[in-house]
Amino acid sequence: MRIDASKVDRIVDAYGCHRDSLISILQDVQAECSYLPEDALKRVAKRLKLPLIQVYGVATFFKAFSLQPRGEHMVRVCLGTACHVRGAPAVLDEVRRQLDVEPGETTEDSRFTLETVNCLGACALGPLVVVDSEYQGQITPGKVKRVLKQYMNDGRGK
Amino acid sequence: MQKLRSIAELERLRSRILRRRNGTKKYVSVCGGTGCHAYKCQDVASALEGEIRRQDMGSRVELKVTGCHGFCERGPLVVIYPEETFYQRVSPADAVEIVSRTVGKGEVIERLLYVDPQKNRVARSEAEVPFYRKQQRIVFGKNGLIDPTNIEDYIAMGGYTALPKALFEMDPEGIIEEIKESGLRGRGGAGFPTYQKWQTCRSAPSRDGVRYVICNADEGDPGAYMDRSLLEGNPHAILEGMIIGARAIDAHDGYVYVRMEYPLAVKNLGVALDQARQYGLLGQNILGSGFDFDIKISRGGGAFICGESTALMASLEGHIGEPRQKHIHTALKGLYGRPTNLNNVETWANVPVIISRGAKWYSKIGTEGSKGTKIFSLVGKVHNTGLVEVPMGITLREMVYDIGGGMRNGKKLKAIQTGGPSGGCIPESLIDLPVDFDELTKAGSMMGSGGMIVMDEGTCMVDMARYFTKFLTEESCGKCVPCREGLDRMLDMLTDITEGRGSEGDLDLLEELGGVIKEASLCGLGGTAPNPLLSTIRYFRDEYEAHVVHKHCPAGVCKALITYSVDEAKCTGCRVCARECPEGAISGEKKKLHVIDPAKCIKCGLCRDLCKFDAILVSWERWEYD
Amino acid sequence: MIELTIDGTKVRAAPGTTVLEAAREMGIVIPTLCYYPGLSSYGECRVCLVEMVKGRGRSSLEASCALPVEQGQVILTSSAKVKKARRVVVELLLASCPSSKTLQCMASNMGINQVRFKIKPRECILCGRCVRYCKEQMRSGGIGFTGRGTARRVTTAFGHTPEECRNCGGCQWICPVCERACTADSLVNGLCGGCQNLAHVETCEICTGCSESVGAHGHTVY
Ligand SMILES: Cc1cc2nc3c(=O)[nH]c(=O)nc-3n(C[C@H](O)[C@H](O)[C@H](O)COP(=O)(O)O)c2cc1C
Ligand code: SF4
Ligand code: SF4
Ligand code: FES
Ligand code: FES
């Protein structure tokens, strides 16, 4: 993906070209591009007059950032304590099997990216799976297929 | 809105709001917290709104979408005031009836009421629900009553009364003295006396007089969400606390560091900041007092370690969230090298309560060493899960049986995990332990942020220790050796044990390693990370030995140590399991007994989950047994 | 001057010195890895741990390289607690960097003859000496830490040779475990690759890739 430098510039300028705002800037860039392309990071480093490695270091340190393009749908399985106690690991195994990817990866047809999260703050509903921003509460391995199916044939995308 | 320039103007505004609201005595409050959101409460709210308009009741009743009420388990929740009629599991289809019968005629709809499963008793109002009865909600209580995006709601409920008191009637020393007398201790985990931090920060030299106050809303504990609910549901209480703190410390800049996984909290907080600025409660010359203070929001990048004070400040400055040695405390040299005071969300929210109701009143709540209340997120295998605010010193028994409504599915209580990943497991035998900072520490656990996970016989303690160790290994910043390498090896050994590869001597080595990680690590993450392991070994050593020596998981959790089979008596031959088994490990003809091939079975548990006849059995392999 | 007690002896040290420096001044041997004179202290490796006595029977372990001296401080540099912790730490280091000669020597000095933890060779102890050298001495900043936890590494951004690199070779020279340094015959394991064709390295006739340091630590050519 070629990234429009002016888009990055606009974000950097919105934060007054301030180095302290690096994390916020990267968050906004990611919101814009859905991930952090190499060119964008280089542009950010240049504008903030930071060594590229510092920007790269921050981008790889925080879990929120992704240097790889992500799939159309984000599938997030909560592995918070409450969900764990109620059987989230088995749910994760099933999602992995259904999508045939490991957490952090994207399916080959770039439809789904699987991620695990530690607590989404809705513990009372666990085990919890969130697809895009739809919360699916009290999921069991048996329900996984049905939930994912809704997104498999939704006619959107390619 | 004109900026308020004095106390008199604020009080005039307050009485104006109250007068205006006298007309619409009734209101319907719909919980809009994250839990209820997951249950699609927004649909319920819009259905109610439409119904109120359709039945032309707009002038008599007001609809409010509020923050979390705490009882997320039974969401979506709707409460009708002033009767406090409490409805749970409400669906959009119920809106017609709620508006016409309950709001219109004051009737109660039986089917939406909460029934106490233990005593089969129906609760009409919130106060009658056992989940709420033992709570004392001095901080969290307003959540269900106010619309977080409307500052006037907070003002109408008596909000921003502590602030003028702190600005005009008390001097900074007086505020610190009041906090000292209240006995408030930090709610972020360690329970450090709040006044002491404020005092140090206030008297610390700063080269240009700049000092900072920060609100720690990083809430990384994977099982606690009280900070989120406060931020989402009552952001002004936190702002008010921070302004008072800033005044006491003589700081003019503040930050709120929020986890990025909490979009609603960021949004509501942003709205609250804008409104507070418009009303002259933030910014220059607050309420005409001459005191200036403003707050910025900073979103974290998703790292548990950024809850640690030095890592948080590094990340605020745009660096990776890596802790540094704390020989010079952040109260002396923190953000940008200036004296900085960091407090947890809940700590800040307690401040206005203390200032407006007085330290004397506040210090009557709680125990000798721990004053006030604490919000816990009570989750796990109890009937009622959610957020509860209780006075310090309440026993675990009351938490589990009175508030939690007892264990699910008639199972036996085994242990209670408190303090999140840095905490420990407390066995059932200590059920009468009073919950406060010191008692929990004595029992080998800690208060932490207030996660409380109830576990039954079906929870494997070795698996639990492994779970927390895995979490911490992934969340360790990786800077220092004991934590980075030590936790990783600890996880390896625990994995081996849960998969039947443990060997004698492992437990001693784990204890030795745990002890060293605890003492030799640089920051508090490594310094507490072995707690889940050490506390479970302390109380459940026999369970570890069962795994190591007998290759047997008594709770039937550890996959490698269990086998699946079909119960001959229950199997109807419906073929569901055979169809769904991903490995084709189940065979059998229609209407005949099915069998599982143990060589092919990957123990995913799908068959057990899908079988409608409960015919899949889990049993333990017992090689080497006897 | 500040007065403190190290191993029972009263000493005086200038404000701003570290306990490590004060102890070394007295001739006490404290092992270090991530510490390097002239670079900022980092406190990563934890082999320089000492016990700080806090009274009432309490004490804590602190990294002496990052611990400033304080009036009245009581320090023990080789108590049982210190020795035990150091040994486990060195064992853990060896488990991640088994072929390092420096670590092996350190271990044998402590009487460690076995590593009880799973060996996962990473050939870098993430001490950050190279990173700090590059940033603080060369004012460059071509290399840095990336990732977090066990995925933490010292690398260049996107694995490319950085523009900032000044070809000084310092990062390789300063590495205490020197697995990351050139292993004599090949430079491909070098860190940033900037000096790949520039640094001249003398090798033994029969190079065994013994992993001894190339620089001032004395790679001896036989
Ligand atoms: C690894 C680690 C994670 C922490 N996470 C949090 C957190 O998520 N929220 C929080 O308020 N405090 C957290 N703390 C505690 C803070 O460092 C700090 O003590 C606290 O915010 C101080 O506020 P208090 O005095 O009001 O409790 C964490 C500490 C450590 C060591
Ligand atoms: S103890 Fe863990 S989290 Fe803390 S500095 Fe060391 S590696 Fe980082
Ligand atoms: S390459 Fe060497 S100097 Fe750099 S961090 Fe690794 S061990 Fe330290
Ligand atoms: S989110 Fe509605 S009660 Fe908690
Ligand atoms: S030399 Fe002190 S921690 Fe490494």
Side-chain angles (χ1 to χ4, degrees):
Chain A
M1 182 176 174
R2 294 292 307 173
I3 158 115
D4 192 354
S6 67
K7 249 194 222 165
V8 175
D9 286 352
R10 223 174 318 118
I11 294 170
V12 173
D13 291 333
Y15 287 94
C17 204
H18 223 290
R19 289 180 184 188
D20 304 349
S21 307
L22 177 60
I23 296 172
S24 302
I25 291 171
L26 294 184
Q27 275 166 345
D28 289 2
V29 172
Q30 174 152 314
E32 186 80 30
C33 316
S34 96
Y35 77 109
L36 294 175
E38 184 172 337
D39 288 348
L41 291 187
K42 284 187 173 151
R43 184 77 196 165
V44 170
K46 190 159 177 192
R47 289 293 319 276
L48 297 182
K49 298 199 175 68
L50 284 173
L52 181 59
I53 185 70
Q54 188 179 334
V55 178
Y56 184 74
V58 167
T60 52
F61 184 87
F62 291 104
K63 216 176 159 181
F65 298 127
S66 166
L67 296 178
Q68 251 73 55
R70 300 204 220 191
E72 246 169 88
H73 299 293
M74 282 299 295
V75 181
R76 292 186 292 165
V77 180
C78 181
L79 290 185
T81 322
C83 290
H84 178 86
V85 176
R86 290 192 184 170
V91 173
L92 175 63
D93 282 348
E94 182 59 18
V95 177
R96 264 160 63 187
R97 212 166 24 244
Q98 288 290 338
L99 297 179
D100 195 21
V101 285
E102 291 301 305
E105 293 177 357
T106 303
T107 53
E108 250 167 44
D109 59 4
S110 23
R111 302 213 56 165
F112 293 95
T113 298
L114 172 61
E115 260 184 16
T116 59
V117 285
N118 294 309
C119 197
L120 289 157
C123 309
L125 317 181
L128 198 65
V129 174
V130 182
V131 186
D132 300 334
S133 53
E134 288 277 303
Y135 284 67
Q136 315 274 353
Q138 292 170 358
I139 294 288
T140 57
K143 289 190 198 161
V144 167
K145 204 165 167 183
R146 196 155 11 107
V147 167
L148 293 177
K149 222 175 188 162
Q150 298 169 17
Y151 298 89
M152 286 185 176
N153 314 310
D154 58 0
R156 270 184 274 154
K158 291 148 270 192
Chain B
M1 178 67 207
Q2 273 257 302
K3 276 193 168 47
L4 302 169
R5 280 280 158 256
S6 66
I7 309 190
E9 281 183 32
L10 173 65
E11 289 313 321
R12 265 203 297 281
L13 172 71
R14 198 192 309 277
S15 41
R16 224 175 25 242
I17 300 170
L18 290 174
R19 224 174 312 125
R20 194 169 62 226
R21 296 199 166 185
N22 246 349
T24 52
K25 267 194 214 111
K26 283 221 169 190
Y27 64 93
V28 179
S29 125
V30 181
C31 175
T34 302
C36 289
H37 235 276
Y39 284 129
K40 314 247 178 324
C41 66
Q42 61 279 34
D43 298 346
V44 175
S46 45
L48 282 167
E49 195 181 8
E51 226 17 76
I52 292 173
R53 219 177 315 114
R54 206 178 57 80
Q55 302 190 17
D56 205 16
M57 289 209 246
S59 56
R60 278 187 294 144
V61 11
E62 199 185 338
L63 180 81
K64 256 188 230 286
V65 179
T66 69
C68 173
H69 295 203
F71 202 6
C72 316
E73 172 92 28
R74 307 300 299 183
L77 303 181
V78 173
V79 185
I80 294 107
Y81 293 90
E83 297 87 358
E84 290 191 26
T85 313
F86 176 80
Y87 292 150
Q88 40 102 47
R89 294 274 158 92
V90 180
S91 74
D94 299 321
V96 185
E97 235 184 308
I98 294 180
V99 174
S100 61
R101 286 183 56 197
T102 313
V103 179
K105 306 194 196 114
E107 291 171 10
V108 172
I109 306 165
E110 297 283 333
R111 116 185 95 83
L112 295 174
L113 294 176
Y114 174 76
V115 184
D116 178 358
Q118 279 183 314
K119 305 206 179 69
N120 234 338
R121 203 182 293 147
V122 179
R124 282 165 193 276
S125 67
E126 229 180 46
E128 284 176 25
V129 179
F131 176 78
Y132 289 113
R133 216 180 295 136
K134 281 223 168 159
Q135 295 194 38
Q136 186 171 3
R137 300 197 292 165
I138 61 175
V139 175
F140 197 51
K142 287 202 187 102
N143 258 38
L145 302 170
I146 58 180
D147 172 356
T149 56
N150 184 354
I151 189 172
E152 298 202 345
D153 269 16
Y154 182 67
I155 295 177
M157 290 296 304
Y160 289 114
T161 44
L163 179 62
K165 207 166 155 186
L167 287 177
F168 298 101
E169 293 167 31
M170 304 167 89
D171 55 7
E173 286 81 9
I175 300 174
I176 295 180
E177 193 56 34
E178 193 76 10
I179 297 294
K180 178 177 179 182
E181 268 176 44
S182 74
L184 178 64
R185 290 170 70 175
R187 302 295 193 245
F192 201 77
T194 303
Y195 87 90
Q196 217 166 323
K197 273 211 250 198
W198 290 18
Q199 185 72 59
T200 315
C201 189
R202 178 178 173 76
S203 47
S206 163
R207 66 184 120 97
D208 48 8
V210 174
R211 293 188 170 72
Y212 296 102
V213 293
I214 306 179
C215 171
N216 188 345
D218 194 49
E219 197 166 62
D221 176 351
Y225 56 107
M226 59 287 293
D227 293 351
R228 156 188 218 155
S229 294
L230 278 173
L231 278 169
E232 284 176 1
N234 194 0
H236 284 287
I238 296 150
L239 300 189
E240 191 176 0
M242 285 182 76
I243 308 169
I244 296 171
R247 155 100 171 131
I249 291 159
D250 192 24
H252 304 285
D253 299 282
Y255 289 87
V256 181
Y257 188 87
V258 196
R259 242 183 121 189
M260 57 112 16
E261 285 91 336
Y262 290 180
L264 187 60
V266 174
K267 187 173 141 241
N268 287 359
L269 187 65
V271 172
L273 284 175
D274 285 344
Q275 292 183 344
R277 273 184 214 117
Q278 269 170 29
Y279 280 69
L281 295 161
L282 264 185
Q284 304 236 310
N285 194 11
I286 295 173
L287 286 178
S289 65
F291 177 65
D292 308 335
F293 178 64
D294 211 333
I295 297 176
K296 289 199 195 84
I297 303 179
S298 179
R299 284 169 298 161
F304 175 66
I305 186 63
C306 286
E308 198 271 348
S309 52
T310 55
L312 185 149
M313 288 170 203
S315 144
L316 268 180
E317 292 174 16
H319 298 283
I320 57 177
E322 194 182 276
R324 62 165 172 80
Q325 310 270 346
K326 252 202 285 196
H327 298 305
I328 300 172
H329 202 275
T330 49
L332 300 171
K333 239 178 170 179
L335 191 61
Y336 303 114
R338 309 307 201 293
T340 306
N341 178 66
L342 174 73
N343 279 120
N344 167 260
V345 171
E346 199 184 330
T347 315
W348 286 120
N350 267 285
V351 170
V353 179
I354 294 171
I355 298 295
S356 60
R357 304 185 73 164
K360 272 219 180 63
W361 171 83
Y362 187 86
S363 62
K364 285 206 192 94
I365 307 168
T367 60
E368 185 60 38
S370 312
K371 299 293 182 200
T373 59
K374 172 82 191 90
I375 308 178
F376 287 96
S377 79
L378 183 64
V379 290
K381 310 264 182 94
V382 278
H383 276 292
N384 307 328
T385 61
L387 290 181
V388 301
E389 182 178 351
V390 290
M392 297 269 193
I394 192 169
T395 62
L396 287 171
R397 184 188 295 282
E398 288 170 283
M399 291 291 286
V400 173
Y401 291 101
D402 298 342
I403 297 173
M407 304 300 292
R408 280 183 188 215
N409 306 331
K411 290 241 178 94
K412 217 174 131 274
L413 172 67
K414 181 171 184 178
I416 297 160
Q417 208 280 347
T418 71
S422 333
C425 291
I426 298 171
E428 197 265 342
S429 57
L430 296 178
I431 182 87
D432 288 308
L433 191 81
V435 179
D436 74 7
F437 287 110
D438 310 312
E439 292 293 330
L440 286 177
T441 310
K442 260 189 261 163
S445 182
M446 61 188 263
M447 179 76 85
S449 52
M452 192 172 272
I453 294 121
V454 182
M455 310 181 202
D456 64 15
E457 320 151 80
T459 316
C460 169
M461 292 326 232
V462 185
D463 177 64
M464 251 2 256
R466 182 179 172 275
Y467 166 79
F468 282 117
T469 308
K470 179 157 185 283
F471 172 84
L472 290 160
T473 309
E474 283 166 7
E475 293 298 334
S476 156
C477 82
K479 176 171 176 175
C480 72
V481 174
C483 174
R484 180 186 70 230
E485 305 296 336
L487 285 179
D488 184 49
R489 299 311 187 283
M490 197 153 117
L491 178 61
D492 286 344
M493 289 167 72
L494 282 169
T495 307
D496 281 349
I497 293 179
T498 54
E499 292 180 359
R501 292 187 303 270
S503 53
E504 234 141 312
D506 274 4
L507 294 190
D508 295 336
L509 183 55
L510 276 172
E511 278 182 314
E512 181 184 342
L513 179 60
V516 170
I517 296 176
K518 231 174 139 146
E519 290 195 342
S521 292
L522 193 157
C523 84
L525 189 149
T528 53
N531 283 356
L533 170 93
L534 296 175
S535 76
T536 46
I537 294 193
R538 172 168 162 192
Y539 293 118
F540 300 94
R541 202 177 177 103
D542 47 349
E543 201 168 329
Y544 276 87
E545 274 162 5
H547 284 76
V548 173
V549 182
H550 304 300
K551 315 292 178 206
H552 162 59
C553 174
V557 171
C558 297
K559 252 180 160 180
L561 307 181
I562 54 175
T563 47
Y564 284 84
S565 57
V566 180
D567 187 340
E568 293 179 26
K570 287 186 180 161
C571 176
T572 61
C574 72
R575 289 207 55 78
V576 165
C577 58
R579 236 187 351 254
E580 294 295 330
C581 175
E583 297 298 309
I586 308 179
S587 53
E589 282 169 36
K590 208 168 177 170
K591 302 216 171 135
K592 292 220 175 94
L593 177 66
H594 282 51
V595 278
I596 299 179
D597 178 357
K600 283 193 191 160
C601 171
I602 53 164
K603 298 164 191 174
C604 66
L606 209 58
C607 51
R608 179 149 87 134
D609 185 33
L610 291 171
C611 180
K612 294 192 189 75
F613 308 98
D614 202 15
I616 307 288
L617 294 172
V618 177
S619 53
W620 309 305
E621 277 179 29
R622 300 179 181 217
W623 357 304
E624 289 180 36
Y625 224 175
D626 311 318
Chain C
M1 286 303 251
I2 286 171
E3 233 180 50
L4 67 159
T5 314
I6 301 181
D7 290 345
T9 311
K10 275 213 158 52
V11 277
R12 287 148 68 83
T17 35
T18 61
V19 169
L20 175 72
E21 286 157 347
R24 284 197 169 165
E25 190 80 359
M26 293 163 69
I28 294 175
V29 179
I30 295 180
T32 54
L33 286 169
C34 68
Y35 168 81
Y36 199 84
L39 297 182
S40 62
S41 66
Y42 192 57
E44 178 265 356
C45 72
R46 318 306 281 178
V47 298
C48 69
L49 290 172
V50 294
E51 184 171 352
M52 185 159 84
V53 182
K54 291 181 172 166
R56 279 187 291 150
R58 293 188 311 143
S59 72
S60 66
L61 294 182
E62 307 286 344
S64 60
C65 69
L67 181 67
V69 290
E70 257 174 57
Q71 189 63 36
Q73 226 168 16
V74 179
I75 301 289
L76 301 173
T77 68
S78 57
S79 62
K81 193 165 161 177
V82 169
K83 282 188 181 153
K84 180 178 152 200
R86 271 189 207 157
R87 287 172 54 116
V88 173
V89 167
V90 171
E91 237 182 289
L92 286 170
L93 282 167
L94 260 181
S96 66
C97 217
S99 52
S100 157
K101 196 137 189 267
T102 321
L103 284 176
Q104 286 170 4
C105 290
M106 196 179 269
S108 81
N109 280 340
M110 292 181 182
I112 299 170
N113 47 23
Q114 164 204 18
V115 175
R116 294 168 293 173
F117 307 108
K118 198 172 280 174
I119 310 274
K120 296 183 177 174
R122 192 195 295 116
E123 313 307 0
C124 167
I125 57 167
L126 299 167
C127 69
R129 257 160 63 162
C130 51
V131 174
R132 279 173 289 146
Y133 181 84
C134 186
K135 188 165 157 194
E136 294 167 14
Q137 295 295 325
M138 297 313 293
R139 308 239 151 237
S140 159
I143 50 175
F145 289 113
T146 60
R148 131 174 135 205
T150 43
R152 187 175 165 100
R153 296 287 180 275
V154 172
T155 58
T156 57
F158 299 100
H160 303 327
T161 302
E163 282 168 24
E164 294 92 341
C165 178
R166 304 203 184 165
N167 302 335
C168 71
C171 54
Q172 304 194 352
W173 171 80
I174 204 163
C175 179
V177 296
C178 70
E179 283 303 323
R180 234 11 196 322
C182 68
T183 35
D185 61 334
S186 100
L187 279 166
V188 285
N189 295 330
L191 254 179
C192 71
C195 56
Q196 201 144 342
N197 306 312
L198 299 168
H200 170 73
V201 181
E202 234 180 307
T203 57
C204 311
E205 299 229 318
I206 318 162
C207 175
T208 53
C210 67
S211 88
E212 247 190 56
S213 177
V214 191
H217 297 298
H219 175 94
T220 9
V221 181
Y222 299 100

